[in-house]
Amino acid sequence: MMSRSSDARAIAKLAWEASWERLGNALQPPPGYPEPTKEQLHECFRVAQQQLESLREIYDAPPLNNP
């Protein structure tokens, strides 16, 4: 179980926001940015999913049910 201190929550939130921004830039690169490779895009999704799961756990939210 992860710590639920306010510092831990703030760090988890910042990590999620950073991974979300990175994924957004990979999905729609800003002008001048190269298109991501399949591997880079996969890594962005993996990290974003991992950070979202950490955030879910730190807020003690139940897991999502996948149909």
Side-chain angles (χ1 to χ4, degrees), residues 2 5 10 32 38-39 51 53-54 57-58 61 63-66:
M2 299 182 82
S5 72
K38 277 185 152 182
E39 293 80 15
Q51 294 304 329
E53 179 63 15
S54 294
E57 288 177 6
I58 209 162
L64 299 175
N65 293 329
N66 292 329

Side-chain angles (χ1 to χ4, degrees), residues 3-52:
S3 169
R4 290 188 177 85
S5 72
S6 62
D7 286 346
R9 285 181 172 190
I11 290 168
K13 185 174 182 254
L14 287 172
W16 158 248
E17 289 172 351
S19 68
W20 178 250
E21 183 174 349
R22 181 179 174 205
L23 178 59
N25 285 336
L27 293 172
Q28 188 171 10
Y33 277 51
E35 290 290 324
T37 65
K38 277 185 152 182
E39 293 80 15
Q40 290 168 328
L41 191 56
H42 176 77
E43 179 67 3
C44 288
F45 274 108
R46 186 192 68 74
V47 171
Q49 184 176 19
Q50 179 182 3
Q51 294 304 329
L52 184 57

